């Protein structure tokens, strides 16, 4: 995890540099290994570095291209940087970092460089010759990028707090986003909790120059990318195994110690199993346990740890411990999230054990339909005829159910029966709500 920030459109380098420095200091926790700022008329770029690949000072940012035309600040990891580097034979590389590979790729292919990248990233490149700023975010939006665009000036950063630290971005609450958060425990992109501040969407790039700002999409999921026609269930499982194995192996390219978050669930257990298969060293695993046995999944995590011979670390928390940590967890979270405190606690324990990089099973339940809601969605399809009946009848059914069996589940079914929309999307949306409208 590194932190980047920058300002486009301020002609006084001293003023822009001063604002960029204030933003950069807010990101110190993201990058304790190094920091840097570059300011010239029209642009200021800043970065805080957490070194993962090429730990030497040669990986310092902002980094310039060999001809000094391009300057980059970058947060992330390019898993296939060695393969991309092999395609750029005419560039005089001076470091072993993936940062310079991105810089060289942009110099060679321009915005099309994104087609060659496999990784998680948010980066900004300044083209001094064209006076153009290019900002890009990875396909799935693993690395964050927030921006504020007003009066032909653009402020961007890895965190909201850095934008607010500039003193230019108004500290105004986005009330629609607040309602979104109360419904779903998150704020859906591209909106943020701060008025007029947006996220650059996953798979998008942004260009800022004298013609203004353009936000373009360069990638989106393609249902036809994976063809399972004619394949047996066993063959499809084999394909998934191969893809997951390759994904895990790519992420273990690192010059620092790494570990894994292990909850005992299928997703994190799969990641740990694959890490154990490809790693040449014993995997370090981390688990947050609760003193109340009804909430504990410790026995499952322990089973996986023993099966794959990991160096297992268990953090035992009581409600009192959790409450004491909560203020710091909220302070660290920046962008509001219902799952933030859990991630904070396990990350803190991992860092304390000397681990800089950790893999997790985050997103596995969404990708492979692991939640009960997906099973209920299948059941819903069988009884879809009910939702297509006359609306007055559906309202009556919903009201009756709510009266006979008060509770959250009945309230959600009542809302669904009253809805004018049917199908998986409205059902899934409603099922994920924490507070109903």
């Amino acid at each position: 995890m590194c932190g980047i920030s920058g300002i486009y459109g301020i002609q006084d380098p001293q003023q822009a540099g001063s604002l960029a420095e204030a933003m950069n200091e807010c990101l110190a926790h993201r990058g304790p290994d190094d920091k840097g700022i570059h300011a010239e008329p029209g642009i200021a770029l800043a970065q805080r570095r957490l070194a993962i690949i090429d730990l030497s000072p040669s990986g310092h940012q902002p980094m310039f291209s060999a001809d000094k035309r391009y300057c980059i600040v970058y947060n992330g990891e390019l898993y296939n940087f060695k393969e991309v580097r092999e395609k750029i034979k005419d560039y005089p590389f001076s470091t072993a970092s993936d940062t310079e590979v991105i810089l060289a790729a942009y110099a060679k292919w321009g915005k099309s460089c994104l087609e060659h990248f496999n990784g998680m990233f948010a980066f900004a490149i300044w083209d001094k010759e064209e006076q153009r700023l290019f900002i890009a975010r990875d396909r799935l939006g693993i690395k964050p990028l927030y921006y504020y665009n007003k009066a032909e000036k653009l402020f961007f950063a890895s965190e909201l707090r850095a934008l607010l630290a500039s003193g230019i971005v108004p500290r105004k609450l986005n009330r629609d986003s607040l309602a979104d958060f109360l419904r779903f425990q998150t704020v859906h992109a591209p909106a943020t909790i701060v008025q007029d501040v947006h996220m650059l969407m996953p798979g998008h790039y942004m260009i800022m120059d004298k013609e203004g700002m353009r936000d373009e999409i360069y990638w989106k999921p393609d249902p036809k990318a994976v063809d399972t026609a004619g394949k047996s269930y066993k063959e499809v499982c084999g394909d998934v195994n191969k893809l997951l194995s390759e994904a895990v192996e790519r992420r273990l390219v690192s010059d620092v110690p790494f570990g894994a978050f292990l909850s005992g669930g299928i997703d994190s257990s799969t990641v740990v199993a694959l890490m154990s298969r490809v790693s040449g060293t014993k995997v370090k695993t981390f688990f947050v346990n609760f003193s109340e046995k009804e909430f504990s999944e410790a026995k499952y995590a322990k089973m996986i740890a023993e099966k794959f011979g990991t160096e297992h670390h268990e953090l035992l928390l009581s409600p009192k411990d959790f409450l004491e940590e909560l203020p710091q967890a909220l302070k660290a979270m920046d962008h509001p999230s219902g799952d933030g405190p859990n991630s904070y606690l396990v990350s803190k324990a991992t860092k304390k054990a000397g681990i800089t990089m950790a893999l997790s099973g985050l997103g596995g339940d969404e990708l492979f339909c692991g939640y009960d809601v997906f099973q209920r969605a299948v059941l819903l399809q069988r009884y879809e005829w009910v939702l297509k009946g006359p609306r007055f009848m559906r309202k009556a059914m919903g009201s009756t159910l709510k009266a006979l069996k008060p509770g959250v589940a009945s309230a959600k079914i009542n809302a669904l029966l009253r809805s004018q929309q049917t199908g998986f999307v409205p059902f899934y949306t409603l099922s994920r709500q924490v507070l109903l409208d």
Side-chain angles (χ1 to χ4, degrees), residues 231-240:
K231 290 188 176 181
S232 66
Y233 177 73
K234 187 175 181 180
E235 287 173 320
V236 172
C237 288
D239 290 344
V240 171

Side-chain angles (χ1 to χ4, degrees), residues 263-403:
S263 67
I266 293 174
D267 44 13
S268 65
S269 299
T270 300
V271 171
V272 169
L274 294 172
M275 287 177 74
S276 301
R277 183 193 295 175
V278 301
S279 175
T281 59
K282 183 178 281 193
V283 177
K284 293 181 174 66
T285 52
F286 298 85
F287 172 72
V288 176
N289 192 15
F290 297 97
S291 51
E292 294 85 355
K293 288 185 178 180
E294 62 268 29
F295 298 117
S296 176
E297 296 178 329
K299 65 177 182 180
Y300 304 113
K302 191 175 180 182
M303 283 168 59
I304 297 298
E306 289 176 353
K307 179 175 178 63
F308 296 104
T310 73
E311 185 182 310
H312 195 52
H313 301 258
E314 189 174 301
L315 174 66
L316 183 64
L317 283 181
S318 67
K320 183 174 179 291
D321 295 328
F322 191 87
L323 285 172
E324 287 176 353
E325 290 281 6
L326 195 55
Q328 285 302 314
L330 294 173
K331 185 179 178 182
M333 206 157 47
D334 190 60
H335 188 70
S337 162
D339 290 329
N342 296 333
S343 299
Y344 171 83
L345 290 168
V346 70
S347 297
K348 183 177 179 180
T350 306
K351 184 64 178 176
K352 192 174 180 181
I355 300 299
T356 303
M357 184 190 79
L359 301 190
S360 77
L362 191 66
D365 281 315
E366 287 78 9
L367 188 62
F368 292 101
C369 303
Y371 293 127
D372 289 343
V373 62
F374 295 108
Q375 294 183 30
R376 291 197 293 270
V378 175
L379 188 66
L380 180 75
Q381 285 182 317
R382 294 177 189 167
Y383 296 99
E384 197 171 13
W385 57 271
V386 175
L387 299 176
K388 291 182 178 178
R391 199 165 178 224
F392 76 91
M393 288 182 62
R394 289 188 277 123
K395 283 184 176 181
M397 289 170 62
S399 298
T400 303
L401 177 65
K402 192 176 177 182

Side-chain angles (χ1 to χ4, degrees), residues 193-242:
I193 200 74
V194 182
Q195 189 73 43
D196 297 325
V197 174
H198 300 89
M199 299 184 212
L200 180 62
M201 291 293 283
H204 281 234
Y205 66 82
M206 178 192 297
I207 294 173
M208 187 75 178
D209 57 21
K210 61 184 179 182
E211 295 178 9
M213 190 190 85
R214 284 94 73 202
D215 183 340
E216 302 286 345
I217 185 169
Y218 70 87
W219 182 88
K220 60 182 177 180
D222 180 7
K224 298 178 182 177
V226 179
D227 186 10
T228 58
K231 290 188 176 181
S232 66
Y233 177 73
K234 187 175 181 180
E235 287 173 320
V236 172
C237 288
D239 290 344
V240 171
N241 192 333
K242 182 175 180 290

Side-chain angles (χ1 to χ4, degrees), residues 51-321:
I52 300 293
I53 294 172
D54 188 359
L55 310 186
S56 72
S58 64
H60 176 79
Q61 296 181 41
M63 182 182 287
F64 290 85
S65 60
D67 60 4
K68 305 299 181 185
R69 174 177 171 175
Y70 303 105
C71 179
I72 186 174
V73 286
Y74 159 57
N75 167 32
E77 188 175 354
L78 201 63
Y79 305 129
N80 67 333
F81 78 99
K82 291 180 180 177
E83 294 100 305
V84 176
R85 180 170 174 151
E86 282 297 310
K87 298 176 184 177
I88 312 172
K89 299 290 187 182
D90 54 345
Y91 188 87
F93 288 98
S94 60
T95 77
S97 70
D98 54 345
T99 308
E100 191 177 22
V101 171
I102 293 177
L103 200 54
Y106 184 77
K108 183 177 180 66
W109 296 304
K111 63 185 181 183
S112 298
C113 67
L114 296 167
E115 298 170 11
H116 298 265
F117 296 162
N118 182 340
M120 53 176 183
F121 54 78
F123 65 82
I125 295 178
W126 171 245
D127 182 341
K128 188 171 185 176
E129 187 175 301
E130 296 290 336
Q131 295 287 288
R132 180 177 295 133
L133 181 65
F134 179 82
I135 304 175
R137 192 175 178 202
D138 64 70
R139 294 176 178 183
L140 296 181
I142 298 169
K143 290 300 180 183
L145 199 290
Y146 303 93
Y147 68 90
Y148 172 80
N149 179 34
K150 278 287 171 75
E152 299 180 342
K153 294 179 180 62
L154 178 73
F155 291 72
F156 69 89
S158 297
E159 295 186 6
L160 289 170
R161 81 185 88 222
L163 292 176
L164 296 174
S166 69
I168 303 296
V169 179
R171 292 174 174 265
K172 290 184 179 179
L173 181 72
N174 185 329
R175 296 181 69 85
D176 290 337
S177 295
L178 176 60
D180 201 22
F181 176 72
L182 293 173
R183 285 189 185 104
F184 300 106
Q185 291 193 340
T186 191
V187 177
H188 290 95
T192 72
I193 200 74
V194 182
Q195 189 73 43
D196 297 325
V197 174
H198 300 89
M199 299 184 212
L200 180 62
M201 291 293 283
H204 281 234
Y205 66 82
M206 178 192 297
I207 294 173
M208 187 75 178
D209 57 21
K210 61 184 179 182
E211 295 178 9
M213 190 190 85
R214 284 94 73 202
D215 183 340
E216 302 286 345
I217 185 169
Y218 70 87
W219 182 88
K220 60 182 177 180
D222 180 7
K224 298 178 182 177
V226 179
D227 186 10
T228 58
K231 290 188 176 181
S232 66
Y233 177 73
K234 187 175 181 180
E235 287 173 320
V236 172
C237 288
D239 290 344
V240 171
N241 192 333
K242 182 175 180 290
L243 288 168
L244 283 176
S245 298
E246 290 173 353
V248 169
E249 190 169 10
R250 281 187 179 278
R251 282 155 180 77
L252 296 185
V253 177
S254 169
D255 295 329
V256 296
F258 56 80
F261 300 158
L262 177 60
S263 67
I266 293 174
D267 44 13
S268 65
S269 299
T270 300
V271 171
V272 169
L274 294 172
M275 287 177 74
S276 301
R277 183 193 295 175
V278 301
S279 175
T281 59
K282 183 178 281 193
V283 177
K284 293 181 174 66
T285 52
F286 298 85
F287 172 72
V288 176
N289 192 15
F290 297 97
S291 51
E292 294 85 355
K293 288 185 178 180
E294 62 268 29
F295 298 117
S296 176
E297 296 178 329
K299 65 177 182 180
Y300 304 113
K302 191 175 180 182
M303 283 168 59
I304 297 298
E306 289 176 353
K307 179 175 178 63
F308 296 104
T310 73
E311 185 182 310
H312 195 52
H313 301 258
E314 189 174 301
L315 174 66
L316 183 64
L317 283 181
S318 67
K320 183 174 179 291
D321 295 328

